[in-house]
Amino acid sequence: MPVWLQARCGLERRSVVALTVVLVLAAGFAVQHFWAGRAQSVRAPEVVRAAAPYGGGQQGEEAASGASAAGAPGAAGTAAAEIVVDVSGKVREPGIHRLPAGSRVADALRAAGGVRPGTKTDGLNRARFLVDGEQVIVGGPTPAPGTAAGTVPGGAAVAGAAPAGPVSLNTATADQLDTLPGVGPVLAQHIIDYRTQHGGFRSVDELREVNGIGDRRFADLQNLVRP
């Protein structure tokens, strides 16, 4: 720096260097602030359509639109998307099962753990739609020709819902007893052993005393058998 400039401005070399550093930093901050505050393009969000409920199809869409139009609460919409069925007979887990609306008989069998080995399901239409509150009996006696099958709410027929006639506990063979819901070869033999030891059945209530028959199984059998 010329001596005359130093004398005229009263600046020293150290002060000039410091001032230069400050100016450089200020310029850098200004550039950074300008770059961060520039306008940027924003991509519009994509519209994602809600997935249709299980087995929904056109029926699910109509049910959803009807619920929205009526202003039904969320709990009512959840209840309408679910049905309750009773699966009994020769399945691994008989009882009450909750399934999505639009389920079929095959879905009810899967919910009940599947059909027990050796069970004939020729009388069941696995592709049939289920309705709320119906009972599906697996392995029951096949109705005789001309005999009306059992019906469920809505008039849908259930093959094998009721036997052609009560099975006699005192004269039925093991194979005939095996056709009853919830009765397998072992339980059929227990029934035969009991009638042999006690001289036959005097009433259907004595079936409770057979080894392997509890309250639930007796409830399934009491209308299907006779002494």
Side-chain angles (χ1 to χ4, degrees), residues 169 177 187-195 201 207 210 213:
L169 297 174
L177 293 173
L187 187 54
Q189 188 60 45
H190 287 173
I191 295 174
I192 295 177
D193 293 342
Y194 179 89
R195 79 186 183 196
F201 289 86
L207 196 59
V210 177
I213 296 182

Side-chain angles (χ1 to χ4, degrees), residues 108-206:
L109 297 181
R110 281 193 294 269
V115 178
R116 290 166 51 186
T119 302
K120 295 182 178 179
T121 58
D122 297 340
L124 285 178
N125 179 7
R126 300 192 179 202
R128 179 177 59 80
F129 283 103
L130 296 169
V131 297
D132 185 49
E134 79 167 87
Q135 183 184 38
V136 179
I137 300 179
V138 181
T142 304
T147 303
T151 59
V152 297
V158 182
V167 176
S168 175
L169 297 174
N170 290 324
T171 61
T173 64
D175 292 337
Q176 291 173 332
L177 293 173
D178 189 26
T179 62
L180 294 170
V183 178
V186 175
L187 187 54
Q189 188 60 45
H190 287 173
I191 295 174
I192 295 177
D193 293 342
Y194 179 89
R195 79 186 183 196
T196 301
Q197 296 172 3
H198 296 81
F201 289 86
R202 288 175 292 275
S203 67
V204 175
D205 290 337
E206 290 186 22

